[in-house]
Amino acid sequence: MSNTSLNTENNDLRNLIDIYVSKWKLIAFCVIVALGIAFLNIRYATYEYQASASIKINDDKKSTQLPEISSLQSYGLFGSDFTNITDEIEIIRSRSLIKSVVDDLNLNVKYYVRGRIKDREEYKNPPILINFLASDSIVNLIDTTLYIKIKSKTKFNISSTENNPILDIDPEDSKEFGFGEKIESGFGDFILIPNIERDSVKVGTSIKIDIVPLSIVTEQYLGKINVVNESGSNIINLTVNENLKTKASLIIDKLIEKYNEDVINDKQLIVQATSDFINNRLNLVSNELEQVDFTAETLQKNNRLTALGAQADIFLQSEKENEAKLINTSNQIQLIDYMKDHLDNKDGGSDLLPADVGIADNTVALISKNHNELVLQRDKILKFSTDKNPTVVNLNNQINALRENLNRSLDNIQSANKITLQTLNKEDQRISSQLYSAPTKARQFRDIKRQQDIKESLYLYLLQKREETAIQLGLSSPNAKIIDSAYTASTPVSPKPTFVYLAALMLGLIIPVTYIYGKNILNSKIHTKDDLLKVLTARYIGDIPKESKKSKLIKKVDYSPIAEAFRILRTNIDFLLKDHKKGTSKTIFVTSTTSQEGKSHTSTNLACSFSFTEKRVLLIETDIRVPKVDDYFNIKSDKGLTDFVSDSDLSIKDVTLKPTDNKFLDIIPSGTIPPNPAELLMSDRIDYLFETVKNEYDYIIVDTAAVGLVTDTLLISNHADMFLYVVSANNVDKRQLHIAQTMYDEKRLPNMAVVLNGTIKKKGYGYGYGNNPERKKKKFFGII
């Protein structure tokens, strides 16, 4: 990269920085306004606090309970299926659970004590309480806002229209009631009572009661409550953001409480279904056992069978083993019959099946477990839906399929057991045939005794199961162990003052900087020398600052920046024309692209500046369409350049004027404005004029017409030794300068140089260097 490009980039950077520095007041104002808005936002914002709690999901299968109950749990009779953490998170975040929390804590009713600027919510201890006389099902659908104005300790005004607390004007629909008085409304009757826990209701207090439907509030908290878990851990973290610390903690604690209640209820439903099944079987077996005992008693009495113990030695060991198998097989068949009866019984209050009743087949236990899970899931959905819900229909189809599958499994198991029973009966007949010598009555008693033993064994088994079920029902424990109770941090999570102030500061800087940058990018005007040199390759000879004084002309003794600028411009012109032929005047034409660029201002003051060096100077006004030189010198002339050209009887001296205060300066004004200025400037008299005056003056300054508007200047450009092309800063569009560049490239304006007019003065070392002897020194406390 060349040094030139580096210098250009450095200049661009400096210019950009200068632009921002020049607008420091705007930037400072925006920053102050942004910080002020941030302060008001923090001052009157509604702060949000975060409450958090941690719970651990227990695994019942690993609990250290009684061995018998643990065994039952391992088979699924009392097992919990809530160890899947993902499922537990969805349960905690379920709509039904959060809705119960909102309902219990009355989160759909909010009380606000109104202030002049900000309303303050009162949750735990509001100044008044509203009690509805309608049912909860109606109250939970109400969507309204009530405005209360306390008039006295016993009276208040109520309205559904918001009033202005600053103006203290009651709305038109405002009505007066007493505390405890029934108020009739379109959404039901209600009463307002003062809160007895507070000292008193302050007179003049304005209170707003905002009542929102329960479903809408539930939706809000579904999005506000966060439940997260780290992978591989049984720990669940619960958080919620609220504007009141106490309210946030209560919501989290109540959610954990409702979750544990829901888990305990699910466990007890399964235990209760099993208990009911066992009790029904016990009643049936008890009746059957009673009948068998009565038959045995009758047989012994009628046949006087009292010495049966002496006959026990005739039974073989094989008969004992066969009898044990017969008992076990008969028990299995009986249990299967009970189970099938329960499946066929559709008049029961619950569809739940006993998880394990002793049937020696794991398939039955697995199907029963899956069946109960689907029934519980369906019943939960039915709490808030109907039988026509697609999910409910799908679950019912799955439940029916499982019941049919279970029925088929029971049939298969029963068939197998019946075959086994037949085989055992044949074996028993074979053994009995070997006991032909035993009395027939003894054999009958033995058959009855066998039935008695079967019924007694089944009865004792069911009694044991009933006791275990009762123990399990009493030992139902929460599924969530609270590690950390809900705690609300004292520091708000929103808004954060540091972040708000930092954002305001950034915004206060970005907005004005972006505005200035955008304005600078979109601005196509010429402002500085660098802007001009980027679009124009002609020589740059100097710039003229914008002058705030009312005086249009510089003076001989003048220390103003504009006078100094014309001195520099005068010096630069002499340098560029140093090779000019001696003895003839230096003719300098002044032109521009358009009007109002300071062309006449430059030519008149440049003529004055040359004349102050005691050089003979002639100022010619050739802009005969819009002449302005007369206004600068406050002269009135009847004749001028146009009169000289059109009237051959007039001499140059006849149209030449001399200012009263400058003997070295002569002026030829434009004269009468003609109808054909271009044709007039093509006259031979123009050539004669320039050839004559060139031998009489040191400098000839010609104020010409704008080359971008008319062709007048080009018609006489051959008389110029040098062209000053004036460009107005902050006024001319860069795209207009293609005219100047074309003129320069085609050399249509001899010895063309560019002057930037109307630049903005910058503080520092620049124009006006030195002390002005006429400037009065300021006095401080009377001391010079």
Side-chain angles (χ1 to χ4, degrees):
M1 185 178 293
S2 63
N3 293 332
T4 303
S5 60
L6 285 175
N7 292 334
T8 302
E9 291 181 2
N10 292 334
N11 290 335
D12 292 341
L13 180 61
R14 281 198 299 269
N15 292 334
L16 185 61
I17 294 174
D18 289 341
I19 291 174
Y20 291 128
V21 172
S22 65
K23 302 292 184 181
W24 71 269
K25 292 182 180 179
L26 174 63
I27 297 175
F29 173 77
C30 291
V31 169
I32 292 173
V33 170
L35 292 177
I37 294 174
F39 172 78
L40 294 177
N41 176 267
I42 294 172
R43 175 67 177 81
Y44 296 106
T46 299
Y47 286 88
E48 282 194 355
Y49 299 88
Q50 186 176 86
S52 60
S54 299
I55 59 175
K56 179 182 179 182
I57 303 301
N58 295 323
D59 189 353
D60 289 344
K61 294 181 181 179
K62 298 180 180 179
S63 60
T64 56
Q65 297 181 358
L66 296 177
E68 294 81 359
I69 299 176
S70 299
S71 176
L72 291 174
Q73 290 175 345
S74 65
Y75 283 103
L77 182 59
F78 307 110
S80 173
D81 193 33
F82 303 127
T83 56
N84 189 319
I85 301 302
T86 303
D87 293 342
E88 298 306 305
I89 290 176
E90 293 302 320
I91 293 173
I92 294 174
R93 296 181 57 190
S94 63
R95 186 184 306 275
S96 59
L97 208 62
I98 294 179
K99 184 177 181 181
S100 63
V101 172
V102 173
D103 192 17
D104 281 9
L105 297 179
N106 292 324
L107 299 178
N108 59 322
V109 180
K110 295 183 179 180
Y111 301 88
Y112 296 92
V113 177
R114 307 194 67 196
R116 294 183 179 274
I117 299 177
K118 177 184 175 183
D119 296 343
R120 185 182 73 256
E121 182 181 357
E122 296 283 352
Y123 173 73
K124 191 173 182 180
N125 196 20
I128 60 175
L129 297 172
I130 184 171
N131 290 331
F132 291 95
L133 304 181
S135 61
D136 290 343
S137 59
I138 299 176
V139 173
N140 291 338
L141 300 176
I142 298 174
D143 187 4
T144 188
T145 302
L146 302 175
Y147 298 92
I148 291 89
K149 179 68 176 293
I150 307 300
K151 291 295 184 181
S152 66
K153 293 184 178 180
T154 59
K155 298 290 182 180
F156 62 89
N157 284 357
I158 186 171
S159 169
S160 60
T161 305
E162 184 176 6
N163 64 329
N164 192 322
I166 298 177
L167 299 179
D168 197 20
I169 300 176
D170 293 333
E172 295 181 358
D173 62 344
S174 178
K175 295 181 180 179
E176 184 175 305
F177 292 93
F179 288 110
E181 182 179 349
K182 185 174 73 171
I183 303 173
E184 297 180 354
S185 67
F187 50 81
D189 299 340
F190 62 92
I191 60 175
L192 292 177
I193 57 175
N195 192 346
I196 59 176
E197 295 183 5
R198 300 181 70 133
D199 296 337
S200 62
V201 179
K202 294 182 180 180
V203 177
T205 302
S206 294
I207 301 170
K208 180 176 75 172
I209 303 177
D210 195 7
I211 307 171
V212 183
L214 196 67
S215 59
I216 295 178
V217 181
T218 302
E219 288 289 340
Q220 294 173 353
Y221 280 99
L222 278 172
K224 294 174 66 174
I225 296 176
N226 294 319
V227 184
V228 295
N229 162 257
E230 293 184 3
S231 179
S233 172
N234 284 357
I235 305 298
I236 294 178
N237 298 315
L238 298 90
T239 60
V240 67
N241 292 346
E242 266 294 344
N243 57 334
L244 298 177
K245 299 179 182 179
T246 305
K247 187 176 180 181
S249 298
L250 287 175
I251 291 172
I252 294 296
D253 287 337
K254 180 62 68 173
L255 182 60
I256 297 173
E257 178 186 336
K258 287 294 181 181
Y259 167 71
N260 281 329
E261 287 181 2
D262 183 69
V263 172
I264 292 174
N265 290 337
D266 286 345
K267 292 180 179 179
Q268 291 182 347
L269 283 175
I270 298 176
V271 173
Q272 189 62 46
T274 305
S275 178
D276 294 341
F277 172 81
I278 293 174
N279 287 330
N280 292 334
R281 297 305 100 190
L282 273 173
N283 292 332
L284 182 60
V285 173
S286 178
N287 292 332
E288 292 176 350
L289 183 60
E290 185 178 354
Q291 291 178 1
V292 172
D293 289 343
F294 181 76
T295 301
E297 181 182 355
T298 303
L299 182 63
Q300 283 183 326
K301 287 181 179 181
N302 293 336
N303 294 280
R304 298 178 180 179
L305 299 175
T306 57
L308 295 177
Q311 303 176 9
D313 54 353
I314 66 174
F315 293 98
L316 300 174
Q317 185 67 26
S318 60
E319 183 184 24
K320 291 182 180 181
E321 295 176 356
N322 190 66
E323 187 174 4
K325 294 179 181 179
L326 277 171
I327 293 173
N328 185 45
T329 304
S330 299
N331 283 344
Q332 289 294 313
I333 294 174
Q334 189 69 50
L335 289 173
I336 292 171
D337 289 334
Y338 293 160
M339 193 65 175
K340 293 182 67 176
D341 291 342
H342 184 76
L343 284 173
D344 297 333
N345 183 15
K346 299 183 179 179
D347 297 330
S350 173
D351 291 335
L352 294 172
L353 297 177
D356 183 9
V357 293
I359 298 175
D361 192 291
N362 292 334
T363 304
V364 175
L366 179 61
I367 295 175
S368 300
K369 177 178 178 296
N370 294 335
H371 176 275
N372 290 338
E373 291 174 353
L374 293 177
V375 170
L376 288 175
Q377 187 176 359
R378 181 199 63 186
D379 291 343
K380 284 185 178 181
I381 297 175
L382 284 174
K383 291 180 182 180
F384 308 99
S385 183
T386 63
D387 293 338
K388 297 181 180 180
N389 189 304
T391 304
V392 174
V393 172
N394 185 29
L395 290 174
N396 282 332
N397 292 335
Q398 296 182 43
I399 291 170
N400 293 332
L402 286 176
R403 293 176 76 93
E404 292 177 1
N405 190 15
L406 180 60
N407 212 349
R408 287 194 298 269
S409 298
L410 291 174
D411 289 339
N412 294 333
I413 298 170
Q414 189 177 43
S415 298
N417 282 324
K418 284 182 178 180
I419 294 172
T420 303
L421 184 62
Q422 290 177 1
T423 303
L424 291 174
N425 284 330
K426 289 180 180 179
E427 180 67 15
D428 185 65
Q429 290 175 2
R430 187 185 65 80
I431 296 173
S432 297
S433 64
Q434 295 178 1
L435 300 177
Y436 61 91
S437 59
T440 302
K441 301 298 182 180
R443 290 200 305 269
Q444 293 177 352
F445 180 76
R446 186 172 64 249
D447 293 335
I448 295 173
K449 185 67 172 62
R450 184 184 300 113
Q451 295 179 14
Q452 188 180 26
D453 291 341
I454 292 172
K455 299 298 180 182
E456 184 178 359
S457 174
L458 181 60
Y459 183 77
L460 292 175
Y461 177 77
L462 291 174
L463 281 177
Q464 180 185 1
K465 289 292 183 180
R466 185 176 69 176
E467 290 302 317
E468 292 174 351
T469 303
I471 293 172
Q472 181 65 27
L473 186 63
L475 292 179
S476 296
S477 60
N479 203 47
K481 176 185 177 181
I482 300 176
I483 298 176
D484 289 325
S485 298
Y487 171 76
T488 305
S490 58
T491 304
V493 295
S494 175
K496 295 183 178 180
T498 303
F499 177 78
V500 173
Y501 280 123
L502 182 60
L505 179 61
M506 295 298 295
L507 196 62
L509 290 172
I510 291 173
I511 289 177
V513 168
T514 304
Y515 167 76
I516 295 170
Y517 179 77
K519 184 180 179 182
N520 184 51
I521 291 296
L522 298 175
N523 187 4
S524 60
K525 304 288 186 181
I526 296 294
H527 298 283
T528 63
K529 172 185 175 182
D530 293 333
D531 295 338
L532 183 60
L533 294 180
K534 288 178 182 178
V535 296
L536 198 57
T537 58
R539 289 177 298 182
Y540 183 83
I541 196 172
D543 56 70
I544 301 171
K546 188 175 182 179
E547 184 58 44
S548 59
K549 293 182 179 180
K550 295 181 180 180
S551 177
K552 297 181 179 181
L553 297 174
I554 62 174
K555 299 177 181 179
K556 186 173 183 179
V557 180
D558 195 339
Y559 288 87
S560 64
I562 189 171
E564 199 64 44
F566 276 106
R567 293 187 187 103
I568 296 174
L569 181 60
R570 180 185 67 195
T571 304
N572 291 338
I573 291 173
D574 283 337
F575 177 77
L576 293 177
L577 297 177
K578 61 183 178 180
D579 297 330
H580 184 70
K581 183 180 179 181
K582 296 182 179 180
T584 60
S585 63
K586 299 176 182 178
T587 305
I588 304 166
F589 280 38
V590 181
T591 188
S592 62
T593 303
T594 63
S595 60
Q596 304 297 325
E597 290 198 63
K599 170 175 58 61
S600 298
H601 174 267
T602 302
S603 59
T604 54
N605 281 283
L606 183 62
C608 291
S609 181
F610 275 116
S611 66
F612 293 155
T613 61
E614 297 184 357
K615 300 291 184 181
R616 291 172 300 162
V617 180
L618 175 63
L619 175 61
I620 303 176
E621 173 76 88
T622 61
D623 188 0
I624 57 181
R625 299 173 187 264
V626 188
K628 292 184 179 179
V629 172
D630 293 358
D631 297 334
Y632 276 87
F633 289 96
N634 293 323
I635 57 176
K636 294 182 180 181
S637 59
D638 297 331
K639 298 178 182 181
L641 178 64
T642 57
D643 301 291
F644 172 78
V645 174
S646 59
D647 188 357
S648 58
D649 293 334
L650 292 177
S651 64
I652 296 176
K653 291 185 179 180
D654 292 337
V655 296
T656 302
L657 301 178
K658 184 180 290 292
T660 58
D661 56 348
N662 194 337
K663 63 180 181 178
F664 295 99
L665 177 62
D666 291 337
I667 302 172
I668 298 179
S670 61
T672 306
I673 299 176
N676 55 342
E679 289 76 7
L680 199 64
L681 291 175
M682 296 174 65
S683 173
D684 295 336
R685 297 273 289 175
I686 293 294
D687 297 333
Y688 169 74
L689 172 65
F690 278 101
E691 291 174 359
T692 303
V693 298
K694 279 189 176 184
N695 298 319
E696 298 179 3
Y697 293 93
D698 298 313
Y699 294 93
I700 299 174
I701 309 297
V702 182
D703 183 16
T704 65
V707 294
L709 300 177
V710 293
T711 189
D712 298 359
T713 302
L714 298 177
L715 296 176
I716 59 175
S717 61
N718 58 307
H719 298 290
D721 296 322
M722 180 180 187
F723 258 93
L724 293 183
Y725 199 100
V726 179
V727 177
S728 177
N730 308 311
N731 186 29
V732 174
D733 194 292
K734 296 176 182 178
R735 292 167 292 187
Q736 293 178 295
L737 293 180
H738 73 280
I739 298 174
Q741 185 63 40
T742 301
M743 295 290 179
Y744 178 74
D745 293 337
E746 297 178 358
K747 302 186 183 306
R748 301 181 67 181
L749 301 180
N751 204 11
M752 176 179 164
V754 182
V755 177
L756 185 60
N757 180 48
T759 58
I760 304 299
K761 294 184 295 182
K762 298 179 181 178
K763 294 183 178 180
Y765 194 93
Y767 293 122
Y769 173 70
N771 295 323
N772 186 351
E774 296 182 358
R775 182 184 300 167
K776 295 181 179 180
K777 296 183 179 180
K778 296 182 180 180
K779 295 182 179 181
F780 297 94
F781 304 102
I783 302 174
I784 298 179

